[in-house]
Amino acid sequence: MNKKYDHHVIERKWQEYWEENQFFKVIEDPEKPKYYDLEMFPYPSGNLHMGHVRNYAIGDVVARFKSMNGYNVLHPMGWDAFGLPAENAAIKNATHPSIWTNANIANMKQQLKTMGISYDWDRELATCKPDYYKFTQWMFVKLYENGLAYKKKSAVNWCPSCQTVLANEQVVDGACERCEAEVEKKQLEQWFFKITDYAQRLLDDLEQLPGWPEKVKTMQRNWIGRSEGCQFSMPIEGLNQSMTVFTTRPDTVFGVTYMVLAPEHPLVEVISQGKAEAAAVKKFAGSMKSVSELTRTANETEKEGVFTGAYALNPMNGERVPIWIANYVLMDYGTGAIMAVPAHDQRDFEFARKYDIPIRVVIKSTDSPADAAEMTEAYTGDGVMVNSGAFDGLQVEEGIAATIKHMEEHSIGVGTVNFRLRDWLISRQRYWGAPIPIVYCEKCGIVCLKEDQLPVLLPEDVEFKPSGESPLNYVESFTRTTCPDCGGEARRETDTMDTFVCSSWYFDRYCSPHEENLPFSKEAADYWMPVDQYIGGVEHAILHLMYARFFTKFLYDIDMLSCQEPFINLLTQGMVLKDSSKMSKSKGNVVSPEEIINTYGADTARLFILFASPPERDLEWSDQGVEGAYRFLNRIWRLVMEYAESIQAIQIPDSFDNLDDDARALRFKTHTTIKKVSEDIEGRFNFNTAISAIMELSNTLNAYKDKEQANLAVVKEALQSLLVLLTPFTPHICEELWHRCQKEGSICQQKWPKYDLQALIQDEIEIVVQIMGKVRDRLWVPVDISEEDLKARALELERIQEHIQGKKIAKIIVVPQKLVNIVAK
RNA sequence: GCGGAUGUGGCGGAAUUGGCAGACGCACCAGACUUAGGAUCUGGCGGGUAACACCGUGGGGGUUCGAGUCCCUUCAUCCGCACCA
């Protein structure tokens, strides 16, 4: 038998053993508490990168730890397999996206297996397979039937490079999230999911997620962007029409000195028609179209606008106010029109000053000038209403309520809540996605397929255009179909769904991945859902996590799920950095997991990554750190191998009596380590400190080796505990050493050790002695020493005597079991 | 501009409830073993000092017997949002 630590042999051996014995296969078991541990499934890009390794190493520690603690653990893995890169690769290399994708999946699965992660591979899924996307389409059908999927023409974000539209969330700083091309606005008919119907619930239920990082919840709150106010209409002079505005400050309505419409607003043309200003208005609106969203919304952009020549009537005081159009009012927020109150809104203030529009103060306070001419900026704070007729004297807050009440009573307007969140645009003009199950019938119009008519299969034999345009448009066998209602001629929708739709319900599918009639069985989901621990990158804080929450609430509403939130606890792991920046091909600082695992083994790779920093923080890659982890495993190997034979016959007694000081100290270390490692994993996910505690135990054991009267029972207990504690982190080497010690069964199926309270009891403890809060000496005393005796012992110390000589002792503070602090002046 | 996070040795990081700052690891230094060492083992390792004293958790101030930890203020870095009416 090989005496040296050979990770190649060991890791393959135990991976095969676990697989053959189906160790990680789980089924519902009502006898056991369940634990659903989930890592965000990867896009099959071709190769595992270090971010994946970190993600799955963290998840595996949790899964193995929970399993050893008696939980029935669901720990699945799958593939987020639809998406653009496959299609781009197809265009470039003339390989079909499905071939490219399947090859990548096979490769990455192989790499994943070398990591030795405790996945139940029987539950593997890929979103691009018909047996999966059939149910992605099912989701669409159900949303459609419930009025939550609809088609509308609107200005959408178009990425010219990807040749497709993007959801608002996928536009970052005016550019495409994926390819960074500048996004254009286009008027198109597109499919949307009505996520805005769930805005309030998505916001409120964040309160029920104490296990989520505050940062992520804040980001979601900002994204939902709830604001309370009111909507009211202002009649337009000379026209039988009115303009509707949204405001959060109806209390300032008497300070309105002009109105603004977004340049794209449909009323713009109507009201300026025939006016002298019409040409200028048209020119301005036209110029806005060519300005990109990016520059238009940049904070530095100066406010610009033109007068339309039209006037509106303020319904509160009958005043006639000019209507302008301006760049700073956006069509897709609120009603695309505002009432402008320059005295109390900074943007309106800047605009009014620039164009010499009157400014009227209607909120008075001690810290703002009463005269508009003296103002240097808008006053947005608290105060009382003035120049506001019957409302004068009201505080801002009561003024808001009073004006809304007045507007409602006089049918002028109504109190409303406005959200920043927009409906989710799910159409993509691409091939490699789940087809939207819709047909267009000449007679019946838009017809959504029924559940039993699914799936709408993606045709395999297609030709990819170099432009990126979807080949589906040209596949007649796909587009030409019959209407499911009337049987007449019909045309199929050629848009496919955003891949975020696929990933919004995959965690439900894992509960019953082979279910054929429904996306998942309710019984299985009732047992497993919600996910107890979700782990992944913070880059999904808004998109994926918001969409998944939306789907979960919808599925709850149609009685498919019993939970309203999919993920109880969320861990957002930090990035893996090299030379202080994210690993990327362009920077040339990529470390390949495959190479690391090949050279040092999966156990070393896992150990290094888990030890180098706590999971939420960024991790700086260090080749020397990897060496250190490898050396540690070699030390463990030698330590255990040294005792492997001699401890075999030793029995660990039920209780340890008459131990000498060294043996007691070792037992103390063993059991404090069990305690610390358990607490560090369970409560805080601080794997780095858990591992450092195990290292300390190994150091203590190494030092104990030299003792003349070594107690082998105590050593055996320590070694066994050490191996079991280390198992979630580095399972292969632990399994091997476990068997080298002639232990039965798998170490992965051992019970997590419990610490022995008896072993934690100490007779003597060290107390720190301070003078004025500064440590001057230490002293060993019996644990049960009285406060008086302890004070006396402390004062007797030579070094203390020196320091307090000639001083008066004002006070002595004793913190039991810890320290004595002498206050002397 | 708003919101959030972070700031500790040469480096990664510990210090969980206000109680020994720097656990553990890396790097480095010295020694042992050795034909050899990029293996292994032993010891050292914040600054400062002969040794103490003293100084030290981004900076300044405060509360406290005692502050990395609490409060005020300020700086730096990172992340998110940003004309949202």
Side-chain angles (χ1 to χ4, degrees):
Chain A
M1 207 191 273
N2 202 340
K3 288 280 180 210
K4 274 212 164 136
Y5 171 44
D6 182 344
H7 64 262
H8 282 112
V9 174
I10 291 169
E11 293 184 354
R12 194 172 317 123
K13 173 177 160 190
W14 294 110
Q15 282 160 15
E16 280 167 12
Y17 172 82
W18 297 329
E19 190 165 338
E20 277 162 21
N21 292 282
Q22 303 203 313
F23 267 23
F24 308 123
K25 188 176 169 152
V26 281
I27 49 163
E28 290 87 296
D29 178 356
E31 299 300 307
K32 272 180 161 185
K34 68 95 184 181
Y35 193 89
Y36 189 173
D37 177 37
L38 182 66
E39 297 110 53
M40 292 179 183
F41 66 165
Y43 178 78
S45 56
N47 282 293
L48 229 52
H49 57 69
M50 279 303 171
H52 293 129
V53 175
R54 188 177 195 195
N55 194 173
Y56 310 142
I58 292 167
D60 200 36
V61 175
V62 176
R64 288 174 180 272
F65 175 79
K66 285 292 172 184
S67 164
M68 292 169 88
N69 276 282
Y71 288 87
N72 195 29
V73 175
L74 173 56
H75 191 209
M77 181 41 71
W79 310 96
D80 186 12
F82 270 138
L84 262 185
E87 209 168 331
N88 291 338
I91 296 163
K92 213 171 142 194
N93 311 324
T95 45
H96 195 279
S98 72
I99 293 173
W100 186 85
T101 303
N102 286 328
N104 286 351
I105 288 174
N107 190 46
M108 287 175 77
K109 185 173 176 182
Q110 164 54 32
Q111 292 175 344
L112 220 41
K113 287 204 165 180
T114 65
M115 282 185 68
I117 301 180
S118 58
Y119 291 130
D120 178 358
W121 283 106
D122 286 353
R123 292 172 187 261
E124 179 182 5
L125 57 81
T127 58
C128 65
K129 300 218 162 125
D131 65 354
Y132 185 91
Y133 73 67
K134 171 181 175 182
F135 295 113
T136 303
Q137 291 169 341
W138 185 97
M139 296 289 160
F140 181 98
V141 170
K142 289 294 156 188
L143 284 160
Y144 186 87
E145 289 170 355
N146 285 275
L148 292 166
Y150 67 97
K151 199 176 193 191
K152 74 169 177 195
K153 186 168 188 176
S154 69
V156 296
N157 307 301
W158 175 262
C159 173
S161 149
C162 298
Q163 287 280 311
T164 189
V165 296
L166 302 170
N168 275 351
E169 292 84 343
Q170 290 166 324
V171 181
V172 178
D173 291 335
C176 172
E177 178 201 41
R178 284 209 90 100
C179 68
E180 292 175 19
E182 194 165 299
V183 169
E184 297 165 2
K185 283 276 172 194
K186 245 190 176 179
Q187 289 286 330
L188 286 173
E189 281 255 320
Q190 298 287 296
W191 286 97
F192 289 84
F193 286 161
K194 223 170 178 181
I195 192 173
T196 50
D197 271 15
Y198 285 75
Q200 191 65 53
R201 282 165 72 186
L202 288 167
L203 181 68
D204 290 344
D205 291 353
L206 288 172
E207 305 292 336
Q208 290 163 31
L209 298 172
W212 278 39
E214 208 50 51
K215 180 174 66 170
V216 174
K217 288 191 277 186
T218 305
M219 282 164 78
Q220 293 218 349
R221 273 185 205 110
N222 290 341
W223 193 264
I224 295 167
R226 181 185 199 272
S227 59
E228 276 179 33
C230 73
Q231 239 181 51
F232 67 95
S233 294
M234 290 182 108
I236 295 166
E237 190 185 61
L239 281 173
N240 198 13
Q241 291 209 48
S242 61
M243 58 186 284
T244 306
V245 298
F246 172 75
T247 180
T248 55
R249 292 294 303 275
D251 58 311
T252 63
V253 68
F254 291 88
V256 172
T257 54
Y258 64 102
M259 304 296 293
V260 189
L261 290 171
E264 310 90 322
H265 199 287
L267 273 176
V268 171
E269 221 186 307
V270 182
I271 61 170
S272 61
Q273 208 163 31
K275 300 271 181 352
E277 291 84 356
V281 167
K282 202 167 182 182
K283 193 176 160 214
F284 183 81
S287 75
M288 278 303 123
K289 266 188 199 154
S290 60
V291 176
S292 79
E293 192 83 343
L294 184 56
T295 37
R296 171 141 169 221
T297 57
N299 218 9
E300 310 82 60
T301 305
E302 194 170 334
K303 292 173 186 32
E304 282 179 11
V306 291
F307 175 46
T308 61
Y311 290 84
L313 298 172
N314 187 333
M316 297 296 281
N317 58 10
E319 260 180 29
R320 185 169 176 265
V321 284
I323 304 173
W324 289 63
I325 62 173
N327 59 351
Y328 77 97
V329 174
L330 309 173
M331 191 57 221
D332 59 1
Y333 184 77
T335 60
I338 62 157
M339 63 173 212
V341 185
H344 305 295
D345 181 286
Q346 185 58 24
R347 295 154 300 180
D348 299 343
F349 182 83
E350 286 167 30
F351 192 84
R353 274 283 155 88
K354 178 168 174 181
Y355 292 103
D356 268 331
I357 301 170
I359 297 173
R360 185 195 305 151
V361 172
V362 289
I363 299 293
K364 201 177 87 185
S365 120
T366 45
D367 39 333
S368 76
D371 183 357
E374 288 168 29
M375 293 179 103
T376 53
E377 58 179 8
Y379 178 74
T380 55
D382 252 329
V384 293
M385 291 173 71
V386 292
N387 298 322
S388 300
F391 297 90
D392 279 359
L394 292 176
Q395 291 286 331
V396 167
E397 206 170 311
E398 32 187 39
I400 290 172
T403 35
I404 293 175
K405 189 163 172 249
H406 178 268
M407 285 180 178
E408 286 178 346
E409 280 167 3
H410 294 78
S411 301
I412 297 167
V414 59
T416 53
V417 172
N418 201 48
F419 293 95
R420 203 191 84 114
L421 183 72
R422 310 282 83 205
D423 276 342
W424 176 13
L425 195 169
I426 57 125
S427 295
R428 294 294 179 275
Q429 289 70 46
R430 300 298 304 224
Y431 165 76
W432 194 234
I436 294 174
I438 288 283
V439 302
Y440 300 97
C441 170
E442 283 171 13
K443 277 196 225 133
C444 317
I446 296 176
V447 180
C448 186
L449 300 187
K450 306 285 175 296
E451 288 182 50
D452 57 11
Q453 293 159 343
L454 301 176
V456 177
L457 288 171
L458 262 185
E460 288 273 322
D461 188 19
V462 296
E463 195 186 326
F464 293 93
K465 309 276 166 182
S467 66
E469 191 190 346
S470 173
L472 282 183
N473 294 326
Y474 301 93
V475 183
E476 213 173 300
S477 58
F478 178 77
T479 53
R480 277 183 68 155
T481 185
T482 50
C483 172
D485 284 357
C486 72
E489 250 184 54
R491 194 175 50 79
R492 228 181 252 295
E493 172 64 83
T494 54
D495 283 355
T496 54
M497 285 186 255
D498 181 7
T499 54
F500 280 109
V501 180
C502 308
S503 57
S504 292
W505 68 280
Y506 77 107
F507 40 89
D508 301 315
R509 181 70 182 170
Y510 280 139
C511 299
S512 47
H514 308 296
E515 171 67 47
E516 285 175 12
N517 300 315
L518 285 169
F520 52 91
S521 96
K522 187 159 195 296
E523 298 74 52
D526 278 348
Y527 179 80
W528 291 113
M529 286 295 288
V531 172
D532 294 277
Q533 184 64 55
Y534 198 31
I535 307 166
V538 74
E539 65 272 19
H540 293 109
I542 297 172
L543 298 135
H544 165 58
L545 292 172
M546 183 89 77
Y547 296 145
R549 294 181 62 221
F550 163 50
F551 262 55
T552 302
K553 290 181 193 305
F554 169 67
L555 290 167
Y556 172 86
D557 289 350
I558 61 168
D559 211 26
M560 282 291 289
L561 284 176
S562 304
C563 59
Q564 295 213 48
E565 283 293 335
F567 316 120
I568 304 269
N569 295 294
L570 174 69
L571 176 73
T572 52
Q573 95 205 39
M575 286 187 296
V576 182
L577 311 175
K578 176 90 195 287
D579 311 320
S580 311
S581 55
K582 192 178 174 173
M583 288 185 183
S584 73
K585 274 186 200 145
S586 58
K587 287 195 192 101
N589 61 348
V590 178
V591 179
S592 143
E594 213 170 1
E595 276 174 41
I596 295 292
I597 290 172
N598 192 40
T599 312
Y600 297 99
D603 282 338
T604 296
R606 295 166 55 129
L607 184 70
F608 163 70
I609 278 189
L610 295 165
F611 178 62
S613 87
E616 301 91 335
R617 257 204 260 182
D618 286 351
L619 180 153
E620 176 70 29
W621 185 266
S622 156
D623 291 333
Q624 286 168 334
V626 178
E627 292 272 358
Y630 185 62
R631 276 208 296 268
F632 171 71
L633 291 182
N634 273 286
R635 273 202 297 279
I636 294 295
W637 179 268
R638 287 193 300 270
L639 174 67
V640 177
M641 288 300 279
E642 195 168 324
Y643 284 109
E645 278 184 34
S646 56
I647 58 173
Q648 266 175 43
I650 303 284
Q651 291 289 320
I652 298 176
D654 291 337
S655 76
F656 288 85
D657 301 315
N658 305 319
L659 296 178
D660 63 25
D661 286 353
D662 290 329
R664 286 189 56 186
L666 178 54
R667 280 208 85 219
F668 178 77
K669 191 68 185 174
T670 300
H671 289 273
T672 46
T673 305
I674 293 171
K675 185 166 188 282
K676 176 155 179 63
V677 172
S678 308
E679 288 168 357
D680 280 358
I681 299 179
E682 174 84 60
R684 328 194 289 161
F685 289 150
N686 276 15
F687 308 130
N688 55 333
T689 52
I691 292 166
S692 87
I694 296 171
M695 287 172 168
E696 284 186 53
L697 175 58
S698 121
N699 291 344
T700 305
L701 263 162
N702 263 317
Y704 186 76
K705 248 179 357 196
D706 302 330
K707 301 288 181 240
E708 279 172 31
Q709 295 283 322
N711 182 324
L712 285 181
V714 175
V715 169
K716 184 169 185 170
E717 182 195 33
L719 282 173
Q720 280 186 15
S721 305
L722 187 150
L723 285 179
V724 176
L725 293 176
L726 199 54
T727 296
F729 306 101
T730 59
H732 312 86
I733 188 175
C734 293
E735 191 81 273
E736 177 70 20
L737 288 171
W738 186 253
H739 285 82
R740 296 266 179 145
C741 294
Q742 304 294 314
K743 299 295 295 184
E744 297 295 313
S746 166
I747 197 167
C748 303
Q749 295 182 326
Q750 292 305 305
K751 271 206 183 118
W752 192 255
K754 288 205 163 30
Y755 58 87
D756 177 3
L757 271 173
Q758 281 297 313
L760 298 183
I761 295 171
Q762 288 175 292
D763 295 339
E764 292 218 317
I765 48 168
E766 193 176 35
I767 299 288
V768 165
V769 185
Q770 298 181 330
I771 294 170
M772 304 295 288
K774 283 189 173 161
V775 182
R776 297 301 179 186
D777 210 344
R778 283 148 227 269
L779 118 117
W780 281 92
V781 297
V783 259
D784 53 359
I785 192 169
S786 73
E787 246 184 54
E788 287 314 306
D789 289 348
L790 180 57
K791 282 182 189 172
R793 290 276 306 273
L795 285 168
E796 275 168 21
L797 294 165
E798 207 175 306
R799 295 199 33 168
I800 300 305
Q801 283 294 324
E802 282 169 26
H803 272 98
I804 58 177
Q805 210 156 45
K807 288 178 182 163
K808 200 176 149 219
I809 295 172
K811 197 155 71 159
I812 301 181
I813 289 144
V814 175
V815 180
Q817 317 272 315
K818 279 205 177 110
L819 62 78
V820 175
N821 187 17
I822 299 162
V823 186
K825 281 170 193 161

